[in-house]
Amino acid sequence: MKVYADCAATTPCDKKVVEAMSPYFTEQFGNADSQHYYGRETAKAVADAREAVADIIGCKPNELYFTGSGTESDNWALKGAALHRRDKGNHVIISSIEHHAVLVAAEWLENNGFEVTRLPVDGTGLVHAEDLEKAIDDRTTIVSVMYANNEVGTIQPVRELAEIAHRHGALFHTDCVQAIPYMNIDVKDLGADLITISGHKFYGPKGVGALYIRNGVKIDKLVCGGGQERAQRGGTTNTPAVVGMARALQLSREDLDKNNAYIASLRDHFERRVEAEIPYIRQNGNKNHRVPSISNYSFEFVEGEGILMLLDFNGIAVSSGSACSSGSLDPSHVLLAMGVPIEVSHGSIRFSFGKHNTIEEVDYIVDKLKETISRLREMSPLFDLKKGGTYNV
Ligand code: PLP
């Protein structure tokens, strides 16, 4: 049996999405900026895609800029805002559990003369408004806090945080890459000035994203070149990808509640079984404020990489808590920020379910997980000590 339970890393492209994209690879291949029939045809497809996405997130089409990924959108928002607003100050605030796209962009700013404050989170991965109140001052130009975290799924109080940022004259950016597959996002309601989305987490294509920039907000360009995207982002528009992202988002809205309820029921079944059948575990994340897809557990006395390998051997695809991108063995910065002890964080796995998963698959995962954890614990010297009563975490 092969089971894919790594939907927070990426999702398969929906066949209807591939169908929508297909003509733009072949017959309708024109450059959307060309001044002839072929160009006009693709320009219309790009405009329609922009309108469709804008309509869904409640913004004007001219507030939406297509990019090459969620990573690019995050970099653009953070660096673009900090650089453009240097006259106001050199202080940037992010949360300590951001995706690397924000974390590393902030590090880049730090290496280039900016001061970065990383907000703490509580044990469930929540940022608290008081901490932003304490950290923000008149030099702060941008605050960036993700809507839903990619490792543990915790949903942040972004409206409240945006309001605090605005009170201090700072812009507010939120990375909605993990939230938009599951949550209705209305830019006005959210109150953010800058919003990142990415195509491949909701059954759309990879290598395409968007940045919402509220009208009136000015940030520096990140990708300089031609006059594409109203001269704000150079590079020939990837017509098939933007058409695909828009179609995928439309499809995801059609069945949002039904899919969310279904995915949450799989996750709940998974968690009930794991918690009843596997000892010495820790659930990571906020059970009351989270997306329906992600379940993250630390399994004490074992290494996440070992769990991943044995599950993979059984055809099960999941992620270690530390990475949605690389084979990194570093402990997860998210779990560490949540106060998970380093040795426990090493034994963490993110399971992320999607609409294609079945209850039988979930049962198969739990069965194999139980076998895997027992097998690894049999080989674990720490578990031996625990059994002997001389080890306490
Ligand atoms: N932000 C979050 C929260 C993510 O989970 C991801 C993807 O893993 C990204 C940004 C990066 O998006 P992309 O893969 O489109 O670069």
Side-chain angles (χ1 to χ4, degrees):
M1 193 169 192
K2 270 175 84 182
V3 181
Y4 185 81
D6 200 13
C7 289
T10 196
T11 51
C13 215
D14 193 305
K15 288 199 172 62
K16 288 184 191 154
V17 170
V18 177
E19 249 169 56
M21 293 168 71
S22 179
Y24 298 98
F25 287 108
T26 50
E27 304 96 61
Q28 288 159 256
F29 60 87
N31 182 326
D33 283 285
S34 293
Q35 306 298 308
H36 47 57
Y37 172 77
Y38 290 89
R40 281 195 298 279
E41 195 175 51
T42 34
K44 161 108 178 53
V46 172
D48 289 349
R50 200 184 308 278
E51 212 171 295
V53 176
D55 195 43
I56 288 170
I57 68 169
C59 71
K60 298 194 182 74
N62 70 2
E63 294 177 302
L64 197 69
Y65 297 83
F66 290 127
T67 64
S69 60
T71 300
E72 183 190 325
S73 300
D74 281 346
N75 269 265
W76 186 10
L78 218 67
K79 294 178 184 171
L83 292 169
H84 191 82
R85 311 188 82 222
R86 257 173 310 192
D87 286 351
K88 177 178 189 283
N90 72 339
H91 184 222
V92 167
I93 300 178
I94 64 171
S95 87
S96 50
I97 61 163
E98 293 300 305
H99 187 271
H100 282 103
V102 167
L103 278 188
V104 180
E107 270 169 34
W108 183 91
L109 286 170
E110 214 160 30
N111 292 333
N112 285 277
F114 290 85
E115 188 191 318
V116 177
T117 301
R118 293 161 182 83
L119 298 175
V121 293
D122 68 16
T124 71
L126 264 184
V127 172
H128 288 268
E130 318 69 280
D131 289 314
L132 177 56
E133 293 275 17
K134 270 187 236 153
I136 200 163
D137 60 35
D138 292 343
R139 298 169 307 123
T140 312
T141 53
I142 177 154
V143 177
S144 179
V145 178
M146 68 203 320
Y147 202 2
N149 178 264
N150 49 297
E151 290 188 31
V152 295
T154 301
I155 293 170
Q156 304 298 341
V158 293
R159 279 177 206 83
E160 201 182 344
L161 300 174
E163 197 265 310
I164 297 169
H166 291 155
R167 226 184 315 117
H168 290 81
L171 295 177
F172 187 81
H173 166 246
T174 184
D175 174 335
C176 288
V177 171
Q178 295 289 345
I180 199 163
Y182 309 103
M183 299 169 76
N184 273 315
I185 284 172
D186 180 272
V187 301
K188 303 286 173 313
D189 181 41
L190 217 51
D193 305 289
L194 301 151
I195 291 176
T196 292
I197 67 172
S198 167
H200 67 108
K201 312 287 185 180
F202 45 85
Y203 306 90
K206 295 167 189 49
V208 62
L211 182 66
Y212 157 79
I213 307 179
R214 187 166 58 75
N215 271 344
V217 168
K218 298 268 178 293
I219 64 173
D220 277 6
K221 290 177 206 176
L222 180 74
V223 181
C224 301
Q228 292 90 353
E229 296 300 302
R230 298 180 300 292
Q232 295 310 301
R233 193 260 183 190
T236 303
T237 307
N238 186 346
T239 310
V242 302
V243 167
M245 178 166 70
R247 185 73 191 114
L249 196 56
Q250 281 174 327
L251 290 169
S252 82
R253 298 305 104 163
E254 281 171 17
D255 292 322
L256 193 70
D257 293 342
K258 192 177 104 213
N259 285 340
N260 280 352
Y262 176 68
I263 294 167
S265 74
L266 295 178
R267 177 203 61 195
D268 292 346
H269 177 71
F270 172 78
E271 294 192 344
R272 264 193 306 273
R273 277 202 62 194
V274 168
E275 288 174 20
E277 298 175 38
I278 306 181
Y280 307 117
I281 59 171
R282 175 194 159 114
Q283 187 264 331
N284 300 310
N286 189 304
K287 279 204 168 180
N288 300 320
H289 302 284
R290 60 172 169 168
V291 288
S293 50
I294 296 180
S295 185
N296 187 309
Y297 281 99
S298 301
F299 300 92
E300 289 179 44
F301 317 111
V302 292
E303 289 290 324
E305 301 311 308
I307 307 174
L308 271 192
M309 270 166 51
L310 289 178
L311 290 180
D312 182 39
F313 181 75
N314 284 293
I316 297 168
V318 293
S319 270
S320 65
S322 59
C324 77
S325 54
S326 67
S328 157
L329 291 180
D330 290 341
S332 151
H333 66 282
V334 174
L335 298 182
L336 294 185
M338 288 165 57
V340 178
I342 191 161
E343 65 279 10
V344 175
S345 80
H346 274 299
S348 305
I349 297 290
R350 177 189 69 188
F351 304 85
S352 49
F353 302 104
K355 61 182 184 181
H356 62 277
N357 287 124
T358 63
I359 200 93
E360 290 74 25
E361 289 180 342
V362 172
D363 280 328
Y364 178 72
I365 297 176
V366 182
D367 293 344
K368 292 297 164 194
L369 185 62
K370 273 169 68 180
E371 272 174 39
T372 298
I373 301 296
S374 317
R375 195 167 146 197
L376 292 171
R377 281 182 180 161
E378 272 163 30
M379 298 186 290
S380 158
L382 290 179
F383 194 57
D384 260 359
L385 291 175
K386 172 75 192 175
K387 281 190 298 187
T390 54
Y391 180 86
N392 287 307
V393 175

